[in-house]
Amino acid sequence: MSNEKVYTDSGIEIKRLYTDEESNAELPGQYPFTRGIQPDMYRGKLWTMRQYAGFSTAEESNKRYHYLLSQGVMGLSVAFDLPTQIGYDSDHELSEGEVGKVGVAIDSIEDMQALFAGIKLEDISTSMTINATGFILLAFYVAIAKQQGADLKKITGTLQNDILKEYAARGTYIYPPKPSMRIITDIFEWCSEELPKWNTISISGYHIREAGSTAVQEIAFTLANGKAYVEAAIQKGLDINVFGKRLSFFFNAHNNLFEEAAKFRAARRMWAKMMKDMGATDPKAMMLRFHSQTGGSTLTAQQPLNNISRITIQALAAVLGGTQSLHTNGYDEALNLPTEEAARIALRTQQIIAYESGVPETVDPLAGSYFVEALTDEIESAAWKLIEKIDGMGGSVSAIEQGFIQSEIAKSAYAYQQKIEQGKKMIVGVNKFQNDEAAHPNGLKIDDSIRKTQIEKLSLLRKKRNHGKCDQLLQELNDKAAGTENLMPTIIEAVENYCTLGEIADTLREVYGEYK
């Protein structure tokens, strides 16, 4: 704990912690963690400043990563293209028109080597936004870490790996819910032995919010999904006090500053209670650790420079709410992938909050505000009611299969859009304070020739590899998928022997089928 004194610009000393002298009941770093998971919070260590990046080819994305690291980014966050997300190689007919568009194309271990060329995996933390094929991307990452001679016990990062929100809100699933849950618990089990510092899942409310949910629904549905993963892991015989420490969350930060900060505080308190009720005894297994990202759906194509102000408010809400890691969007993202300038301004926004605003200098600066404390309680109460409803349906998997969660999100999205169209909800530059001129920054566009490049790489890879060995490993994977043995060791061996992402995904499609 840092004992160094901190002062305002007027010379007033800032205490590490402010409390109601009468009631010291809730302290940061202690159950139920409403006020933060560390006693010191940002006085001890700032949140990790991540910038989400990935586009075009692995080589192009690698250049952006080196640039971001040179600008002060502390962790990388990888976006993958749509074919990679749904388990198709770039040469598959369904990949046409999508290769390298919304993220980087990764077909094989060679692409992963190019993506992280010149970057020591032991020295950085990597977050990968990938779900249905998360197990394959993790295998690629582990394989290249081994090639670098890294100590796997020191490798840190996060796999999003949250398939339930794909069925509920986002749509990039492959297999039905039950086999998908089996793959996820295999990852939990394998990582607890081999990759102990890796966050095996980032249970994601971000996309639930992007699909149109309210703040209350975002945390209720996300925590209900979290509960389903914990129950599945317990059924597999895993120790909640071990795997519970490696669960992390991913939340959205929108414009309503106080509601968002209160939402994060309520989520921490709720998760701590949930984990305790499910049998956790180690306080570290009850801590809700989360990454946050500013709200993509709040960005406007009209007057895009206004988005810098929106992103600042949202980033501030996440910091006031006690985030562990933060990504700020580029102001131009309603129009295109962020340009280098937009990515730099987004990072500088975080750095200005960290080093100029004074917000990180005391723990939970909004605590004790009548408004924020009441809002925290009200959000918690409304979220518990929704969770009780989901529990009554048999939990998240059942609620998703019955269409309950999807329908609740759709209703909220519709109601919000109606308010905008009726002028009851003001969006600056959209339904109020419009300009005539259309301002379009110079966008970053992705060339369709990328698919041709990826196809050539795949063709060369297939010529040089040992086909007999690949067939043998894919057959072994097929057999294990039909049984109960952990799939991860075979998948890692398969990628090391140049099996492609699409081949591995297809092998499991044969066993599990596809979710329709």
Side-chain angles (χ1 to χ4, degrees):
M1 207 172 281
S2 167
N3 292 321
E4 193 182 327
K5 291 192 173 183
V6 177
Y7 300 90
T8 69
D9 290 344
S10 310
I12 298 162
E13 189 181 338
I14 301 170
K15 292 198 285 188
R16 179 186 72 85
L17 182 67
Y18 291 81
T19 59
D20 172 354
E21 297 304 330
E22 301 302 306
S23 152
N24 275 349
E26 287 212 2
L27 292 173
Q30 291 179 22
Y31 179 90
F33 308 106
T34 313
R35 302 198 61 188
I37 60 168
Q38 304 296 345
D40 242 14
M41 285 306 288
Y42 309 131
R43 283 263 282 237
K45 180 177 181 262
L46 286 172
W47 63 93
T48 301
M49 296 180 200
R50 290 188 190 281
Q51 283 307 110
Y52 187 48
F55 53 91
S56 167
T57 60
E59 291 78 6
E60 281 302 310
S61 294
N62 176 260
K63 284 179 199 165
R64 175 69 65 92
Y65 293 158
H66 279 284
Y67 170 75
L68 289 169
L69 289 166
S70 76
Q71 294 298 307
V73 153
M74 306 164 185
L76 298 175
S77 190
V78 187
F80 297 95
D81 75 355
L82 200 55
T84 304
Q85 292 180 47
I86 52 177
Y88 294 118
D89 289 331
S90 297
D91 57 1
H92 193 285
E93 61 185 354
L94 291 177
S95 299
E96 192 170 347
E98 289 296 342
V99 176
K101 288 287 169 77
V102 298
V104 62
I106 301 290
D107 294 320
S108 74
I109 190 172
E110 289 187 342
D111 288 329
M112 206 66 155
Q113 286 161 343
L115 188 65
F116 290 100
I119 298 169
K120 273 190 76 179
L121 301 190
E122 251 186 49
D123 296 346
I124 57 148
S125 158
T126 303
S127 170
M128 294 193 276
T129 304
I130 193 77
N131 298 287
T133 54
F135 62 105
I136 308 172
L137 275 301
L138 180 63
F140 286 143
Y141 195 80
V142 167
I144 65 165
K146 283 164 71 178
Q147 287 173 350
Q148 287 187 4
D151 177 354
L152 294 187
K153 301 280 188 279
K154 289 181 184 165
I155 294 288
T156 61
T158 303
L159 195 63
Q160 189 162 93
N161 201 27
D162 173 6
I163 203 66
L164 293 179
K165 69 96 180 33
E166 294 296 331
Y167 304 118
R170 196 162 166 269
T172 63
Y173 42 73
I174 304 174
Y175 316 111
K178 288 189 175 67
S180 294
M181 294 293 273
R182 179 256 169 105
I183 293 168
I184 287 168
T185 53
D186 275 7
I187 292 169
F188 287 5
E189 182 179 53
W190 186 83
C191 288
S192 67
E193 295 290 322
E194 306 294 334
L195 217 62
K197 286 192 167 178
W198 190 266
N199 298 324
T200 48
I201 193 166
S202 176
I203 304 155
S204 173
Y206 185 85
H207 305 93
I208 288 170
R209 191 66 178 281
E210 288 293 284
S213 82
T214 64
V216 168
Q217 288 171 332
E218 179 189 352
I219 62 168
F221 297 155
T222 307
L223 298 185
N225 286 349
K227 188 177 182 180
Y229 293 122
V230 171
E231 287 169 348
I234 290 169
Q235 277 174 351
K236 200 180 171 85
L238 303 183
D239 181 350
I240 191 169
N241 287 318
V242 176
F243 76 79
K245 293 176 193 170
R246 302 277 35 114
L247 305 175
S248 68
F249 287 80
F250 173 27
F251 289 120
N252 211 317
H254 274 217
N255 288 328
N256 192 319
L257 182 80
F258 295 108
E259 182 178 49
E260 294 300 295
K263 173 189 81 178
F264 298 129
R265 298 172 88 247
R268 263 196 302 273
R269 188 156 74 201
M270 292 172 74
W271 185 246
K273 288 175 183 166
M274 258 187 181
M275 288 297 273
K276 198 172 195 179
D277 289 347
M278 286 189 282
T281 52
D282 185 331
K284 282 202 164 90
M286 302 175 203
M287 287 177 182
L288 183 146
R289 295 166 304 120
F290 72 98
H291 168 67
S292 45
Q293 180 176 337
T294 56
S297 62
T298 68
L299 303 181
T300 64
Q302 300 91 329
Q303 303 175 29
L305 288 172
N306 294 347
N307 292 328
I308 296 174
S309 303
R310 292 185 178 101
I311 291 158
T312 305
I313 291 166
Q314 294 164 7
L316 191 57
V319 171
L320 288 167
T323 192
Q324 276 58 69
S325 159
L326 177 61
H327 163 83
T328 29
N329 289 343
Y331 68 84
D332 55 357
E333 285 188 54
L335 298 161
N336 42 253
L337 285 167
T339 55
E340 205 163 271
E341 179 200 44
R344 183 172 61 247
I345 291 170
L347 175 61
R348 293 290 180 257
T349 302
Q350 292 201 47
Q351 290 164 335
I352 289 166
I353 292 171
Y355 301 109
E356 295 185 29
S357 75
V359 170
E361 285 163 6
T362 187
V363 177
D364 196 14
L366 295 183
S369 148
Y370 296 128
F371 178 41
V372 171
E373 295 297 355
L375 210 45
T376 303
D377 293 344
E378 282 168 39
I379 288 170
E380 179 180 5
S381 167
W384 279 128
K385 282 186 188 128
L386 266 177
I387 289 169
E388 279 158 23
K389 216 176 229 186
I390 291 166
D391 285 344
M393 295 178 171
S396 254
V397 178
S398 260
I400 287 165
E401 285 171 344
Q402 292 171 50
F404 169 73
I405 292 176
Q406 299 92 309
S407 130
E408 290 296 295
I409 295 168
K411 280 184 218 160
S412 293
Y414 180 66
Y416 184 78
Q417 189 57 35
Q418 275 195 312
K419 280 182 196 164
I420 292 171
E421 286 172 20
Q422 292 160 2
K424 291 175 184 170
K425 173 82 188 163
M426 301 296 182
I427 308 291
V428 173
V430 176
N431 64 356
K432 190 83 173 162
F433 313 116
Q434 295 106 315
N435 287 351
D436 291 335
E437 76 277 7
H440 290 290
N442 298 321
L444 177 65
K445 300 285 181 255
I446 300 301
D447 194 330
D448 280 324
S449 68
I450 287 156
R451 182 165 185 249
K452 191 164 164 281
T453 307
Q454 287 299 111
I455 290 172
E456 283 164 9
K457 285 202 267 184
L458 277 165
S459 168
L460 288 170
L461 175 102
R462 292 197 173 107
K463 278 181 188 146
K464 73 175 186 189
R465 68 185 185 178
N466 179 334
H467 284 280
K469 184 70 177 167
C470 286
D471 293 344
Q472 176 208 322
L473 286 164
L474 292 172
Q475 185 56 50
E476 193 180 305
L477 179 59
N478 183 299
D479 298 343
K480 280 189 177 177
T484 56
E485 207 179 324
N486 196 302
L487 302 177
M488 283 307 294
T490 305
I491 293 164
I492 292 166
E493 197 181 343
V495 304
E496 287 173 332
N497 283 278
Y498 301 106
C499 290
T500 68
L501 171 120
E503 289 163 348
I504 293 166
D506 281 346
T507 300
L508 296 187
R509 275 188 181 95
E510 286 166 26
V511 183
Y512 299 140
E514 288 190 80
Y515 183 71
K516 292 283 189 279

